[in-house]
Amino acid sequence: ALTQLCTVGPWLKELHVRQCQNLCAIHGLVQASECLKHVALRDCGDLNQIGSLAKLNQLVYLDLSVNNALTEISSIGTCTRLQQLSLRSCHRLISLDGVQGCWQLRTVDVWNCSLLSDISGLAQCAHLERLNLEYCLSLHELSVLKQLPMLTQIELEGCPGAHTPGCRMDAGGR
């Protein structure tokens, strides 16, 4: 069974891995740092070591959805060109600490991250336009949304924090 992604060529621009349940580390992505722009590692049950993503300075799109062993994403903070981030159904993820370095982020999707309780890292993402927080059952504090001037779409269904008094529900303050 594949447990580590150790070697990929320096010419690689996109990488898609899905349902590789034993994959836990992605060390080989460092070699592809010059070209790799699009990474999707979905439903890799044991994936929890994503430190090599820090070296991907050309990365624009990152999808780590349905990786239940993933507990933190701090290493993506150096991916300054990242524009789209999807962490759907990462049930052990507690914080978005690390995204503050991704100042070009336009879209963040953390749908159904049931333990996510801290999104304060988004405060530095001034270009964020779309945010999906649906079914983030542990998320109660949404005041950071007031610091996102470009936010035009937010999805909050099933998010307890949406009922916080004074919470801005959309870009118009309605």
Side-chain angles (χ1 to χ4, degrees):
L2 181 65
T3 59
Q4 293 186 22
L5 187 57
C6 295
T7 311
V8 294
W11 61 88
L12 195 65
K13 292 183 181 180
E14 292 190 22
L15 175 66
H16 300 265
V17 178
R18 186 173 180 149
Q19 295 180 339
C20 191
Q21 294 304 313
N22 295 321
L23 181 68
C24 63
I26 52 173
H27 306 298
L29 294 180
V30 174
Q31 296 174 358
S33 63
E34 293 300 314
C35 295
L36 201 53
K37 293 183 177 187
H38 189 284
V39 173
L41 303 168
R42 296 179 52 97
D43 199 10
C44 299
D46 291 338
L47 183 64
N48 63 5
Q49 297 174 33
I50 62 167
S52 64
L53 291 176
K55 303 288 186 190
L56 301 179
N57 56 16
Q58 299 297 316
L59 195 62
V60 174
Y61 175 88
L62 178 61
D63 185 350
L64 296 173
S65 296
V66 198
N67 288 306
N68 291 322
L70 191 63
T71 58
E72 59 92 21
I73 58 166
S74 60
S75 60
I76 71 165
T78 57
C79 299
T80 57
R81 295 183 183 198
L82 190 64
Q83 294 180 20
Q84 295 181 42
L85 175 63
S86 182
L87 298 163
R88 296 172 69 93
S89 294
C90 290
H91 294 293
R92 292 188 186 170
L93 186 65
I94 295 171
S95 170
L96 293 184
D97 185 39
V99 298
Q100 57 269 32
C102 306
W103 57 272
Q104 290 190 39
L105 265 176
R106 302 280 193 275
T107 302
V108 173
D109 187 350
V110 289
W111 177 86
N112 199 30
C113 290
S114 53
L115 293 181
L116 183 67
S117 60
D118 179 13
I119 60 169
S120 60
L122 291 174
Q124 303 297 316
C125 301
H127 297 284
L128 191 65
E129 298 169 356
R130 183 181 175 275
L131 178 61
N132 185 347
L133 298 171
E134 290 182 311
Y135 301 101
C136 293
L137 303 176
S138 300
L139 188 58
H140 297 281
E141 177 56 47
L142 298 175
S143 60
V144 69
L145 301 181
K146 296 176 184 175
Q147 300 175 47
L148 302 172
M150 303 295 286
L151 190 63
T152 58
Q153 182 180 354
I154 182 167
E155 299 169 53
L156 293 169
E157 183 176 337
C159 177
H163 303 292
T164 304
C167 174
R168 186 177 81 180
M169 296 298 286
D170 64 15
R174 295 181 283 273

